[in-house]
Amino acid sequence: GAVVSQHPSRVICKSGTSVKIECRSLDFQATTMFWYRQFPKKSLMLMATSNEGSKATYEQGVEKDKFLINHASLTLSTLTVTSAHPEDSSFYICSAMGDRKVETQYFGPGTRLLVL
Amino acid sequence: AQTVTQSQPEMSVQEAETVTLSCTYDTSESDYYLFWYKQPPSRQMILVIRQEAYKQQNATENRFSVNFQKAAKSFSLKISDSQLGDAAMYFCAYRTLTQGGSEKLVFGKGTKLTVNP
């Protein structure tokens, strides 16, 4: 149980274009989803937290207009990197949490984004 | 703000041996959760073990166990009978609540574990 998927697993795009990454909880309803960014050989940095049906809460320093997050249903959240630049190249990971009693985040496999 | 410190950037262990990964944290909260996550080369984050601070008993999951010292704010991970598949980055994480009431995980910088055959 507690499987989270991400799509695509890797994407290459041209500078200036937008890229959408999907995060799905496959076998549970995710009331809260999280988006992280991980640089090579570094730890995970929380970008934003989203609750189903409400606006995402962004961490300090994360541009909300650049990283659009939508949590339209209890099983799907999307991250759109708008007007991507080479410095946005990174590994993006989502996680989901459903059952509050468990208090555990389950992670997706990540998406590697390369902006040329 | 809560911080998590993993003082060992890299560790190595012989197959079938035991290794302990260190983690300390700083908090003023009395009730919280601590986690160890494993990130193998595939980069999929996998939950290894979790500990609730109000429980004095150390959590155990098969070959993985923790030594939770609440007063010392220490949360080390012991891996017994190490296997080649245990080779990965291990992240210690502390669950906290933001000012807005939503939760977040604060991660340490990670420890890279190598298992030698």
Side-chain angles (χ1 to χ4, degrees):
Chain A
V3 178
V4 177
S5 70
Q6 269 183 254
H7 178 80
S9 59
R10 57 172 50 194
V11 56
I12 301 173
C13 69
K14 293 181 179 181
S15 186
T17 61
S18 294
V19 174
K20 179 184 286 188
I21 303 170
E22 291 186 348
C23 176
R24 294 181 184 272
S25 56
L26 299 184
D27 54 359
F28 67 102
Q29 292 187 323
T31 53
T32 307
M33 287 186 166
F34 306 83
W35 287 95
Y36 295 85
R37 184 172 180 177
Q38 186 179 31
F39 292 100
K41 300 184 179 181
K42 297 292 184 182
S43 188
L44 280 71
M45 180 190 76
L46 179 66
M47 298 174 66
T49 302
S50 72
N51 292 294
E52 186 266 339
S54 61
K55 290 184 178 181
T57 301
Y58 290 81
E59 293 297 298
Q60 193 173 6
V62 178
E63 299 175 60
K64 60 180 65 177
D65 294 330
K66 180 166 190 58
F67 299 99
L68 301 179
I69 292 172
N70 183 276
H71 192 162
S73 75
L74 285 172
T75 59
L76 173 65
S77 177
T78 60
L79 167 68
T80 301
V81 183
T82 62
S83 187
H85 288 113
E87 57 264 32
D88 298 326
S89 299
S90 191
F91 193 67
Y92 293 89
I93 307 175
C94 74
S95 71
M97 186 176 72
D99 184 353
R100 294 290 297 181
K101 294 180 181 179
V102 177
E103 305 288 1
T104 298
Q105 292 184 29
Y106 294 94
F107 286 80
T111 297
R112 181 177 299 281
L113 170 63
L114 177 61
V115 184
L116 301 177
Chain B
Q2 288 79 9
T3 58
V4 177
T5 302
Q6 292 179 251
S7 59
Q8 306 153 316
E10 296 187 20
M11 291 282 285
S12 64
V13 62
Q14 289 295 126
E15 197 175 3
E17 298 287 301
T18 296
V19 64
T20 298
L21 308 184
S22 300
C23 173
T24 58
Y25 58 94
D26 186 27
T27 184
S28 59
E29 297 176 331
S30 59
D31 192 20
Y32 46 87
Y33 292 83
L34 295 162
F35 303 85
W36 278 98
Y37 281 92
K38 166 186 177 181
Q39 188 179 42
S42 68
R43 304 193 74 173
Q44 168 79 60
M45 293 284 284
I46 302 167
L47 175 66
V48 176
I49 201 165
R50 63 192 291 267
Q51 174 80 43
E52 296 154 83
Y54 69 88
K55 289 186 176 180
Q56 293 185 338
Q57 187 173 9
N58 290 322
T60 298
E61 287 289 342
N62 301 314
R63 297 182 294 107
F64 299 87
S65 61
V66 298
N67 183 3
F68 174 48
Q69 300 291 328
K70 190 172 183 179
K73 297 179 182 176
S74 171
F75 182 60
S76 61
L77 174 70
K78 185 173 81 171
I79 306 174
S80 304
D81 186 25
S82 297
Q83 300 176 359
L84 295 178
D86 295 333
M89 281 290 288
Y90 286 81
F91 292 98
C92 177
Y94 175 100
R95 173 190 172 271
T96 185
L97 292 177
T98 67
Q99 289 185 339
S102 60
E103 76 158 67
K104 64 184 289 185
L105 286 177
V106 178
F107 286 90
K109 292 186 176 182
T111 297
K112 181 180 180 181
L113 178 66
T114 301
V115 181
N116 300 310

